[in-house]
Structures are given as structure tokens and as C-alpha cells.
């Protein structure tokens, strides 16, 4: 029997504080004009000082559970995608479980940077394939503002904080949005092109040492850009071909929201008309693993995505990792 993987509910959360390009002009040598033309970003949300990844994940997860009409106690697994976890140990997934006041679920974090949501969805499919009674909370949450070098204009203007969530279970076709297929990929030989090294076991700090630039997100923008467009398009073509589909079968494209120029380039190469390519990067910036579920949930709320739509979701991030999900709404 074929298992059908159904998305039961979606949720998103963005912290209250909004930082505009005008605010950034006061911090670094940049301009609204540069940020807008190079990235499409106008503003981003920034977590409060006392907010960690699990706090935001909890808020998004509560919305997703309510949307699914489920209670947290029904969950069997919590899978959290993040590169800005609360801590090295315990996992952010365990912290989320603690916040819900539930016990016993399998809890695990996924480190796939901006591809975290689709990697986590595939992990959920694996759990469900092994045990069809599984009810998996897939949640991604990023407090990237903590890993921003606010003196580096080449990085600090690009990112924002947010969380997004979905519930995945087995079900019957037509019961809800169905994950038709997922492809995951990575190329570790290109890992040095996008890093947050500081605090890891290779770049550990000694007691009393202050952090250096390596504590923050560092990348070679142009290289990342090039690989992002190429690999997101490539993996989309693969997942379509493997499912006997062509580009024209895609109703809506929801790419990882890193930069409007990347989103636009992927849409053009895949020959998806601009009006069917979803973007909210102008209001969130790049929220890494959170970008896809935040975009998905907004696309549903605004009816950009409607029942019956075939939605293609390509992602790309540090690692490098990239992925594509094909969802039938
Ligand atoms: O989710 C995956 C992660 N995504 C990414 O890492 C982003 C991928 N890369 C990009 O989105 C783009 O490469 C950027 C937006 C980061 C940069 O755009 P670009 O068109 O590749 O610009 P550039 O890095 O080549 O910089 C062009 C100029 C430079 O000045 P010079 O050397 O030409 O004089 C930069 O110093 O723009 C300058 N610049 C800035 N100027 C004003 C860089 N950042 C800024 C800034 N404000 N914030």
C-alpha cells in the first residue's frame, strides 16, 4: 500500500520588532536603494532580546496545531530545522516539547541551513513510512539576528528572524495538501562559501575569550547566488521529471526567500510566469529554514495557493544543501 503524506496544518510567527532599510542606514554604510535593488528586501523582523528559537517555534507550532485541529499531546515526533538553535544541547526540538508540557515524543533538530524545512519534511515522511500512525510536527525557527555581524553591511542587511510550522501525518488522497515527492541534495566541498564557524568544535572559544567575526554568518555572496540559482533549478527539473511532469504543470512556485533576484532568476529559468511565483522577501528578508513555511502559510492565507494547485518548492542554503518539494494542494 502506498502511504500518502498529508499536511494537516500550517503556522507562522514573526517577532514584533520590525527593522526597515532606513533603520539599517543608521547602523551601517548602506542605503534603501542598494538593498532594494540588489535584494528586494524592505524590512525584516528582529527577535526580542529574551526570545530564542524555541520560543518562536512554539508560537508557530501552536498555530499549526490549531489549524490541524490537533492537540500537542497527539504528536509522536518533533522535528526542528534551525541553524540558530537555543543551545548545542538540549536540542531546540526538546525545548519545544518542554514548552508544550508533553513527554515521550521523539525530538530531533535538523541542520540543513536554509533547506531545513524541506529536509525536515523528508525526515517526517521517513518516520511516517516506518510507522503510519506517526503525527509529526515539522517546525523551523531562526534567530539569525544573534548571528549577524551588525558592522558588516554585506551580510546584516539580508536576514531576518521568524518561525514556521506544519503537521504531517499519513492519510487518504484529497484529505488535505499532499506531499507528492521530495528530493534532497548537498555538496559539502562548497561548505566554506557560507559559514557560521565560531563556537563549533573546530573554532571553539576558551573561557573568557571574546567572539570574533567567525561567530557570525559569513559568505561569498556572488558564489552563493550562482550555485543557488543553478541547483534550485536543477533539482526542480529532476523532481518534475521523476514524477512525469513538465514545468507547465506547476501552478505556483514558492522558492526559498533569500533574495528577490534569486527568486526571479529561478522563476524565469523554470519558465513559471512571475504572477505565479510567490515572494514575501520584501517583508521578512532571508529567514533561512523558516522562509518556506512562513511563505507557504502566507500564500495559503492570501489564496495565492488554492485547493487543487500543484506547488513546487525549491530551497538552497549553507552546506551547500538544496532540495525540492512537490505538494498537491
Ligand atoms: O539563503 C542562501 C543564502 N543566501 C545568500 O547568501 C545570498 C546570496 N547572494 C546574494 O544575494 C547577493 O550576492 C548579495 C545581495 C549578497 C550581494 O549582491 P551582489 O550584486 O552580488 O553585490 P556584490 O557582493 O558584488 O557587491 C557589489 C558592491 C560592492 O562594492 P564594490 O566592491 O563594487 O565597490 C559591495 O561592497 O556593493 C557593495 N555592498 C553594499 N553597498 C551598500 C555590499 N553590501 C552593501 C550594502 N550596502 N549593504
Amino acid at each position: 500500500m502506498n502511504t500518502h503524506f498529508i499536511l494537516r496544518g500550517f503556522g507562522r510567527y514573526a517577532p514584533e520588532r520590525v527593522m526597515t532599510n532606513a533603520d539599517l542606514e543608521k547602523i551601517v554604510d548602506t542605503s534603501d536603494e542598494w538593498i532594494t535593488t540588489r535584494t528586494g528586501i524592505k524590512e525584516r523582523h528582529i527577535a526580542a532580546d529574551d526570545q530564542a528559537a524555541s520560543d518562536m517555534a512554539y508560537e508557530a507550532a501552536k498555530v499549526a496545531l490549531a489549524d490541524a485541529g490537533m492537540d500537542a499531546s497527539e504528536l509522536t515526533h518533533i522535528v526542528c530545522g534551525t541553524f540558530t538553535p537555543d543551545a548545542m544541547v538540549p536540542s531546540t526540538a526538546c525545548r519545544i516539547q518542554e514548552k508544550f508540557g508533553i513527554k515521550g515524543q521523539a525530538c530531533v533538530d535538523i541542520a540543513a541551513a536554509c533547506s531545513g524545512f524541506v529536509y525536515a519534511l523528508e525526515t517526517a515522511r521517513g518516520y511516517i513510512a516506518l510507522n503510519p500512525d506517526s503525527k509529526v510536527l515539522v517546525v523551523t525557527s531562526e534567530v539569525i539576528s544573534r548571528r549577524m555581524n551588525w558592522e558588516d553591511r554585506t551580510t546584516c542587511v539580508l536576514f531576518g528572524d521568524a518561525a514556521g510550522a506544519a503537521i504531517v501525518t499519513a492519510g487518504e488522497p484529497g484529505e488535505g495538501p499532499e506531499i507528492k515527492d521530495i528530493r534532497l541534495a548537498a555538496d559539502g566541498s562548497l561548505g566554506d562559501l557560507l559559514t557560521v564557524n565560531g563556537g563549533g568544535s573546530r573554532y571553539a572559544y576558551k573561557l573568557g575569550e571574546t567572539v570574533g567575526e567567525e561567530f557570525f554568518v559569513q559568505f561569498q555572496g556572488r558564489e552563493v547566488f550562482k550555485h543557488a540559482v543553478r541547483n534550485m533549478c536543477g533539482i526542480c527539473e529532476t523532481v518534475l521529471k521523476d514524477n512525469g511532469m513538465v514545468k507547465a504543470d506547476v501552478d505556483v512556485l514558492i522558492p526559498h526567500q533569500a533574495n528577490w533576484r534569486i527568486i526571479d532568476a529561478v522563476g524565469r529559468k523554470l519558465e513559471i510566469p512571475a504572477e505565479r511565483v510567490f515572494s514575501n522577501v520584501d517583508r521578512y528578508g532571508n529567514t533561512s529554514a523558516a522562509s518556506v513555511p512562513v511563505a507557504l502559510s502566507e500564500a495559503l492565507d492570501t489564496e495565492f495557493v488554492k485547493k487543487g494547485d500543484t506547488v513546487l518548492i525549491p530551497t538552497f542554503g549553507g552546506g551547500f544543501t538544496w532540495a525540492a518539494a512537490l505538494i498537491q494542494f
Side-chain angles (χ1 to χ4, degrees):
M1 189 195 82
N2 274 348
T3 307
H4 298 276
F5 304 94
I6 307 294
L7 288 155
R8 302 268 169 200
F10 296 92
R12 65 178 183 277
Y13 173 80
E16 242 170 70
R17 183 177 168 208
V18 172
M19 185 182 268
T20 64
N21 290 349
D23 295 329
L24 279 161
E25 285 175 355
K26 293 174 200 144
I27 302 174
V28 285
D29 179 16
T30 190
S31 65
D32 174 48
E33 199 269 334
W34 191 95
I35 302 170
T36 305
T37 53
R38 299 289 176 133
T39 74
I41 300 166
K42 298 298 278 183
E43 57 188 39
R44 67 289 289 146
H45 292 259
I46 303 291
D49 289 347
D50 61 354
Q51 270 182 319
S54 68
D55 300 315
M56 301 202 311
Y58 177 57
E59 297 303 326
K62 278 193 291 191
V63 178
L65 281 164
D67 191 32
M70 279 173 61
D71 190 79
S73 59
E74 295 174 60
L75 295 171
T76 57
H77 300 74
I78 300 175
V79 184
C80 179
T82 182
F83 85 89
T84 51
D86 286 26
M88 297 275 189
V89 177
S91 71
T92 302
C94 281
R95 288 298 192 201
I96 297 164
Q97 183 197 39
E98 179 194 18
K99 283 181 196 304
F100 275 113
I102 53 177
K103 289 183 186 182
Q105 294 76 12
C107 293
V108 66
D109 285 2
I110 299 275
C114 303
S115 300
F117 185 75
V118 178
Y119 265 71
L121 278 186
E122 183 71 326
T123 305
R125 287 212 310 168
Y127 291 138
I128 294 163
L130 288 168
N131 180 355
D133 292 332
S134 301
K135 293 181 170 57
V136 187
L137 167 63
V138 171
V139 58
T140 48
S141 182
E142 302 284 16
V143 193
I144 309 175
S145 56
R146 299 275 147 70
R147 290 291 188 152
M148 276 295 98
N149 179 349
W150 291 101
E151 294 178 9
D152 177 7
R153 69 175 183 173
T154 67
T155 53
C156 77
V157 303
L158 302 175
F159 294 89
D161 301 335
I167 315 291
V168 194
T169 72
E172 297 301 321
E175 255 189 280
E178 181 176 346
I179 305 170
K180 300 302 271 187
D181 210 354
I182 285 175
R183 288 289 176 280
L184 307 179
D187 183 352
S189 73
L190 300 171
D192 286 339
L193 294 175
L194 203 176
T195 58
V196 186
N197 279 319
S201 57
R202 190 167 299 284
Y203 294 86
Y205 297 113
K206 296 188 185 69
L207 193 64
E209 246 178 25
T210 51
V211 302
E213 287 181 354
E214 69 287 339
F215 183 76
F216 304 104
V217 173
Q218 295 180 305
F219 60 71
Q220 294 180 32
R222 284 200 177 170
E223 283 301 307
V224 179
F225 193 113
K226 216 169 55 191
H227 287 280
V229 175
R230 188 187 305 148
N231 289 314
M232 285 203 278
C233 291
I235 203 159
C236 281
E237 280 166 6
T238 302
V239 78
L240 288 176
K241 184 163 168 268
D242 291 353
N243 284 274
M245 295 169 76
V246 293
K247 293 165 184 167
D249 294 324
V250 177
D251 294 306
V252 175
L253 184 75
I254 306 186
H256 164 52
Q257 306 285 306
N259 178 330
W260 166 246
R261 285 159 56 216
I262 296 178
I263 296 165
D264 184 50
V266 171
R268 281 173 198 275
K269 280 189 176 236
L270 292 175
E271 296 162 21
I272 315 254
E275 64 274 14
R276 291 203 266 120
V277 179
F278 184 84
S279 178
N280 59 12
V281 73
D282 56 327
R283 288 175 289 114
Y284 289 94
N286 181 350
T287 60
S288 189
S291 97
V292 165
V294 168
L296 254 177
S297 123
E298 278 202 346
L300 282 165
D301 284 356
T302 56
E303 296 188 348
F304 195 97
V305 168
K306 296 185 198 64
K307 193 167 163 45
D309 281 349
T310 297
V311 177
L312 184 57
I313 302 173
T315 66
F316 183 86
F320 288 151
T321 59
W322 59 100
L326 193 56
I327 300 176
Q328 182 72 54
F329 277 82

